[in-house]
Amino acid sequence: MAIVSNRSNPLKRPDRRPLRRLTSSLWLLWLLFLLALPAGAAEDWQYTVRPGDKLWNLAEKYCGTHTRWRDLAAHNALQDPTRLRPGRRLAFPLAWLLQQPASARVVYVRGDIFLIDPNAAGEAPAVPGREIVIGQRLRSGADGFATIEFADGSQFQLAPSSEVVFDRMTTYGDTGMVDTRMRLVSGAGVSRVSGSGSRYRISVPQGVAAVRGTEFRTRTEGEQAFVETLEGNIGFAAPSGDNRDIERGEGLIASAAGLVVEELLPPPAFAAQPASLPGHAQLAWSPLAGASAYVVSVYEDASRTRMLTRARQSASAYPLRDLPGGTLYVSILGVSESGLEGEEATRELRVLAGLPATHWIRTEQPRRRLVNGAPWRDGSSSLQASWQGVPNAERYRVTVSRAGEIIERIETSERSARFDGLANGTVSVTVQALAADGAGGDIEGEIAPAVEQELSPPLWIGLLGLLALAVVAL
């Protein structure tokens, strides 16, 4: 069993309050400055000088005109602009950089996902590879999941029953920086922001989250918004002027009552189970103190780009019966009483879908049993069937048929069965593996190809017939 969790020990966390007060103050000053200034004017882009670089060439490449070299020299307090020392950091104000509109791309879709263009009537299904431009919005149905990738490699995963608007996507020349702004109108989404220095903001009705190089979740529920930081650091600014810093392992609840920051629940601990589980089994974990519910997410890939399903439940076990077979990645998190979703524990799991057919079935006509110490005299026959066991099967359904009509059917936990009192002639035998699905029903395996058996009357019946003919002839 492989359990992936790169979080710190959830059982005991150090007291971070003194350091938090200092970093929060610095962060909030930066956030207020960032939100107050127009786009492109809040900070500098840093460039590391390489051998052979000239200031006017850098100005031409990144600012679009070589005449900016004087401004760059003054901005960086260069005493001799003609000589740039390799390794030195040069600051380029974002307002001076070349800016072009950027687009995003749909990289994964499952279920109903629709792209809405304000310049076109109606909505169109979103498919992988579809380009998203500024002003468009994405809406998911009750079973819809989508992963969007931006120009810098950052990703946003749209959850079911959600809608997001792409307000701004700008690239800064050849710097690799992207300025992305989105509005989460409803529902939920997960953001994984590249650490390249790009700027990324996502708005909800209760405020704006501004980040750089981090992973976090955002969702809206009624009059509340939730932000949970999994990596890096988030700054959140409410329309009221209240601003908070949300560190890794913390979550924020925004409402009309204000902003509240809480520690996230630690990741649950998976139960000791094999790395491969049959489709009728359940994936289990230890109940998590403080959790009122759990959210289970299943992905096709280790990078968690291709989501298969997401479910919220109260039980600490998840049935695998509806999952496809193969290697999957399952993430579990606990939901606190306040509604914040905690840190995730992720496990690689191989699901053995369904039950295969048995590899072989053998049949024979055994000696007749005795009834009250004497052989049966009705001339019927017996049938003995045996078969190879099927992994994870709990019992077997054995069916005897003739000309397509079922003669007899039994269920047994053994790997053999005997049928008595069968009429003579050709019969067919099939075997099907069964297992409980954990919800009161059965998982039915593949039915093995039928095996035919010719049943004939016992020898003594024939001898009696010959004797009867002889008596009549005399």
Side-chain angles (χ1 to χ4, degrees):
M1 180 177 69
I3 299 178
V4 182
S5 179
N6 57 0
R7 315 294 184 217
S8 58
N9 183 358
L11 299 179
K12 184 178 181 181
R13 299 191 180 201
D15 185 1
R16 299 179 295 185
R17 286 174 294 182
L19 180 60
R20 183 184 303 162
R21 283 193 289 268
L22 175 60
T23 57
S24 296
S25 299
L26 296 176
W27 174 263
L28 290 176
L29 287 174
W30 174 86
L31 177 63
L32 290 171
F33 182 59
L34 175 66
L35 295 175
L37 293 180
E43 55 183 325
D44 290 346
W45 171 65
Q46 301 293 324
Y47 174 81
T48 302
V49 175
R50 300 181 178 90
D53 279 344
K54 303 298 182 183
L55 193 58
W56 42 88
N57 290 339
L58 295 176
E60 177 72 30
K61 180 177 182 180
Y62 295 112
C63 301
T65 172
H66 68 279
T67 59
R68 275 286 186 188
W69 73 269
R70 293 185 178 85
D71 299 325
L72 288 172
H75 187 72
N76 289 273
L78 298 178
Q79 294 183 354
D80 186 355
T82 63
R83 296 183 180 181
L84 297 179
R85 177 172 53 84
R88 180 191 173 116
R89 302 279 286 179
L90 291 179
F92 287 68
L94 295 187
W96 298 355
L97 295 175
L98 283 172
Q99 299 183 27
Q100 298 100 14
S103 63
R105 183 171 57 93
V106 180
V107 296
Y108 175 72
V109 167
R110 185 175 182 87
D112 292 330
I113 300 293
F114 301 97
L115 185 64
I116 304 169
D117 190 331
N119 299 318
E123 55 189 26
V127 296
R130 181 67 183 264
E131 184 183 49
I132 299 175
V133 298
I134 297 171
Q136 292 181 333
R137 63 178 61 202
L138 209 61
R139 182 179 67 82
S140 60
D143 63 342
F145 301 93
T147 300
I148 312 304
E149 187 169 88
F150 299 97
D152 61 347
S154 297
Q155 290 188 344
F156 177 77
Q157 288 183 322
L158 189 67
S161 302
S162 303
E163 185 171 337
V164 65
V165 182
F166 299 87
D167 287 328
R168 178 183 175 89
M169 293 181 288
T170 302
T171 59
Y172 292 94
D174 296 327
T175 65
M177 290 183 60
V178 176
D179 187 359
T180 301
R181 300 185 191 182
M182 299 186 301
R183 279 181 290 137
L184 187 63
V185 179
S186 61
V190 178
S191 300
R192 298 187 180 100
V193 184
S194 170
S196 65
S198 297
R199 301 194 302 173
Y200 187 98
R201 304 184 200 179
I202 184 165
S203 303
V204 292
Q206 295 80 5
V208 181
V211 303
R212 291 184 64 181
T214 189
E215 179 179 347
F216 70 105
R217 297 187 297 256
T218 311
R219 71 184 186 281
T220 63
E221 293 180 7
E223 300 300 320
Q224 291 183 312
F226 299 84
V227 180
E228 295 122 5
T229 305
L230 306 178
E231 294 290 347
N233 196 291
I234 304 291
F236 189 88
S240 63
D242 193 3
N243 304 282
R244 296 296 176 89
D245 177 33
I246 317 168
E247 296 184 358
R248 173 184 174 274
E250 292 182 337
L252 176 138
I253 306 170
S255 67
L259 307 181
V260 177
V261 175
E262 297 179 3
E263 292 247 347
L264 299 180
L265 290 177
F270 284 102
Q273 291 178 285
S276 297
L277 290 175
H280 64 272
Q282 296 192 86
L283 179 65
W285 57 92
S286 301
L288 185 62
S292 61
Y294 301 94
V295 174
V296 183
S297 301
V298 183
Y299 302 89
E300 291 181 334
D301 58 337
S303 63
R304 297 180 297 167
T305 297
R306 303 175 62 85
M307 179 179 283
L308 284 176
T309 185
R310 180 178 171 90
R312 180 167 174 154
Q313 62 181 58
S314 57
S316 57
Y318 182 74
L320 307 177
R321 60 180 179 271
D322 295 329
L323 297 181
T327 300
L328 302 174
Y329 300 85
V330 184
S331 293
I332 313 291
L333 60 85
V335 182
S336 68
E337 294 289 346
S338 64
L340 284 170
E341 297 181 355
E343 299 186 70
E344 294 176 290
T346 302
R347 170 184 169 172
E348 179 181 329
L349 176 68
R350 179 170 176 78
V351 178
L352 307 174
L355 296 169
T358 181
H359 287 175
W360 53 261
I361 303 174
R362 292 174 183 164
T363 60
E364 59 179 336
Q365 185 176 358
R367 289 184 178 182
R368 300 301 307 275
R369 291 176 176 171
L370 298 179
V371 178
N372 296 326
W376 285 5
R377 292 179 172 83
D378 61 1
S380 63
S381 297
S382 293
L383 173 68
Q384 180 76 35
S386 59
W387 54 88
Q388 184 182 41
V390 173
N392 304 310
E394 297 174 353
R395 60 192 192 284
Y396 301 89
R397 178 181 295 154
V398 190
T399 304
V400 180
S401 305
R402 176 179 284 118
E405 295 185 4
I406 297 175
I407 300 173
E408 192 169 348
R409 171 177 284 171
I410 65 170
E411 292 186 7
T412 175
S413 59
E414 305 296 329
R415 287 183 292 174
S416 64
R418 177 166 173 150
F419 300 86
D420 289 314
L422 299 178
N424 295 307
T426 302
V427 296
S428 298
V429 180
T430 60
V431 177
Q432 182 181 30
L434 303 173
D437 64 1
D442 283 330
I443 294 178
E444 298 183 342
E446 299 178 36
I447 300 178
V451 173
E452 292 188 345
Q453 175 69 43
E454 180 68 28
L455 301 178
S456 58
L459 180 60
W460 62 269
I461 293 291
L463 293 176
L464 284 178
L466 292 175
L467 180 58
L469 289 175
V471 170
V472 172
L474 293 175

